[in-house]
Amino acid sequence: MTATLSGCGASGGSGDVTLKLVAADYGTSAANKSDKYWDDVARGFESSHPGIKVDVTVLPWTDIDREVAKMVKDGKAPDIAQIGAYADYAKAGKLYSADEMLSIPTQANFLPKLIDAGQVNRIQYGLPFVASTRLLFYNKKLFSQAGLDAPETWSDIASDAAALKQRGVSYPFALPLGPEESQAETLMWMLSGGGGYTDEVGSYDIASEENVKTFDWLKSHLVDKGLVGPVAPGKLNRAKAFEEFSKGKVGMLNGHPTLMEEAQKQGVQVGMVPLPGENGPTDGSMGVADWIMGFKQNDHRVEIGKFFDYLFTDKNVIEFADMYDLLPPTNSASAAMEDDAKYKPLHQFLAALPESEFYPFGKTSWAAASESIKENIGKAVEPGGSPRSVLERIARDATQAEAAE
């Protein structure tokens, strides 16, 4: 879907500049498409910046990364792209760095963890557009009926799931390790066991002893005991797990803010706690971010910077986050939402964001590593599966992809 928000390009001889912006559609229906947001932002920017126009193309998430890659390959890069990854373009020298575009107050306002996640070789190219964190969700009604308290440890999860299974709950713990988004579920569990995808210096550490131990526990204490429901984890996608939770058929799963709203709409009472760890609640949550970036091709550095300074004002940042139950990437907008009772349902997620751990976005090899996780991680918990050998295979794929950079 394309929305041309102003004019048909630069005006000949007037010195006007037209910025071409390609953005993802976060809407779930015609009623909440992202076009209106971008229309409002573009018109507001144009009214305060004579001589700069903004043409916006809004594309579905299923197409946008591929379409932008094609534009760049064809020599028709947009000035601005709001997409899922930036590292390939940064490594190829196609992007402006943050400090080449942004005013100092705008650049300094991003949450520090998001600044780190937006860097390649310690230079920030990816500007965090929106963020999300994950918490453990549980069905309060099912827990109350079983006389259970919210889980705090892995052993709590196992015993609670066993009690829910006895009461006939379809999915005592929904474990979506299917190909849709298993890289997220995997990282959440790795963090809860003291591991992660990388070590302290940013090198891949996928087959660490901590990660092997975590998946050994998942396999032996949840999957092998039949506590994850009727669909094998490797076949269960996040969308299906979320749908079943919203129907009241899931006792526990890892969820994000959008699921909270959807489940409550359908009458499910949602409890939320930090992901339980081996000995208590996990200190850090998993964070997810989407990115916006400025391309060099059309030499519009100054105009792109002015647009970003406008885009990242609190009003615009909060409006988008509010529209889709997501989290703002800036300190000031986060503080404003934390101080506003209207956003109380998001406060737990906001509190988790500053200490969240993100995917290794700055590695161009991450795309290949992520694909290997999606393809293979479900096999780690299959009957007869070996978590260690599966994690070692994924680690080899990641290392090979990094060597090819």
Side-chain angles (χ1 to χ4, degrees):
M1 181 173 185
T2 300
T4 301
L5 299 180
S6 57
C8 300
S11 305
S14 69
D16 284 2
V17 164
T18 297
L19 296 177
K20 302 288 187 181
L21 187 155
V22 181
D25 184 12
Y26 288 71
T28 54
S29 68
N32 69 344
K33 283 186 170 294
S34 299
D35 300 69
K36 183 182 184 305
Y37 171 80
W38 287 111
D39 189 14
D40 291 345
V41 168
R43 294 201 183 287
F45 174 75
E46 289 172 352
S47 68
S48 56
H49 294 78
I52 309 176
K53 299 186 182 301
V54 184
D55 283 356
V56 178
T57 302
V58 177
L59 296 171
W61 268 115
T62 49
D63 301 335
I64 190 165
D65 289 322
R66 182 179 66 253
E67 289 295 321
V68 170
K70 185 176 186 302
M71 292 175 197
V72 174
K73 185 178 179 183
D74 292 346
K76 299 175 182 176
D79 295 290
I80 298 167
Q82 188 269 298
I83 50 179
Y86 62 84
D88 282 349
Y89 301 123
K91 284 277 181 74
K94 296 184 183 297
L95 301 181
Y96 291 117
S97 64
D99 59 6
E100 288 177 308
M101 300 180 291
L102 305 179
S103 68
I104 291 171
T106 299
Q107 190 175 358
N109 196 22
F110 293 121
L111 292 162
K113 285 273 188 175
L114 289 168
I115 292 175
D116 292 346
Q119 293 180 345
V120 172
N121 297 329
R122 301 190 178 178
I123 297 171
Q124 185 183 2
Y125 295 95
L127 311 182
F129 177 66
V130 75
S132 180
T133 53
R134 306 292 167 90
L135 296 170
L136 181 84
F137 283 35
Y138 64 96
N139 183 312
K140 282 186 171 181
K141 181 180 178 182
L142 296 179
F143 266 62
S144 175
Q145 289 172 342
L148 302 173
D149 295 321
E152 294 184 358
T153 64
W154 284 356
S155 60
D156 290 344
I157 287 177
S159 60
D160 290 352
L164 292 167
K165 182 182 180 182
Q166 276 194 320
R167 297 184 64 84
V169 175
S170 300
Y171 293 82
F173 194 106
L175 185 66
L177 295 178
E180 180 197 353
E181 205 200 20
S182 52
Q183 78 278 15
E185 188 74 16
T186 298
L187 180 55
M188 284 181 269
W189 281 102
M190 286 178 171
L191 291 172
S192 79
Y197 286 136
T198 56
D199 60 19
E200 294 84 358
V201 295
S203 301
Y204 282 121
D205 199 20
I206 292 169
S208 69
E209 289 304 316
E210 292 87 353
N211 294 340
V212 171
K213 182 178 180 181
T214 295
F215 275 84
D216 279 339
W217 185 89
L218 276 174
K219 184 177 186 301
S220 61
H221 288 80
L222 290 185
V223 183
D224 290 352
K225 293 185 177 179
L227 301 177
V228 294
V231 181
K235 305 289 187 189
L236 182 65
N237 279 329
R238 180 195 63 168
K240 175 68 172 175
F242 281 16
E243 180 186 327
E244 295 299 297
F245 185 83
S246 295
K247 291 177 180 174
K249 296 182 178 180
V250 174
M252 295 171 276
L253 52 56
N254 293 315
H256 58 54
T258 308
L259 172 62
M260 171 186 66
E261 183 183 31
E262 187 58 36
Q264 287 171 344
K265 273 184 195 170
Q266 298 193 40
V268 175
Q269 292 179 291
V270 182
M272 297 178 292
V273 292
L275 183 63
E278 189 173 11
N279 301 308
T282 306
D283 287 337
S285 171
M286 187 198 81
V288 178
D290 296 327
W291 305 94
I292 193 163
M293 61 213 69
F295 281 86
K296 292 179 176 179
Q297 182 176 320
N298 301 318
D299 201 24
H300 291 157
R301 178 182 66 83
V302 172
E303 294 83 2
I304 293 169
K306 289 178 178 179
F307 180 81
F308 282 146
D309 284 341
Y310 178 84
L311 176 66
F312 285 108
T313 56
D314 285 357
K315 174 184 176 294
N316 290 326
V317 169
I318 291 172
E319 182 182 341
F320 194 88
D322 185 32
M323 192 180 302
Y324 298 108
D325 286 316
L326 292 166
L327 305 180
T330 62
N331 289 296
S332 58
S334 294
M337 290 180 79
E338 285 174 353
D339 290 342
D340 191 335
K342 172 185 174 184
Y343 301 111
K344 188 175 181 185
L346 292 175
H347 286 177
Q348 272 185 276
F349 295 97
L350 285 163
L353 186 58
E355 297 305 317
S356 290
E357 296 293 329
F358 293 83
Y359 301 140
F361 286 114
K363 293 177 176 288
T364 56
S365 57
W366 169 241
S370 178
E371 283 305 311
S372 180
I373 295 162
K374 291 178 185 179
E375 185 180 330
N376 294 300
I377 195 64
K379 299 170 188 172
V381 296
E382 286 178 352
S386 164
R388 183 180 296 276
S389 63
V390 170
L391 288 168
E392 286 175 347
R393 176 182 174 174
I394 295 168
R396 283 196 300 274
D397 290 344
T399 303
Q400 287 171 3
E402 191 162 38
E405 286 183 11

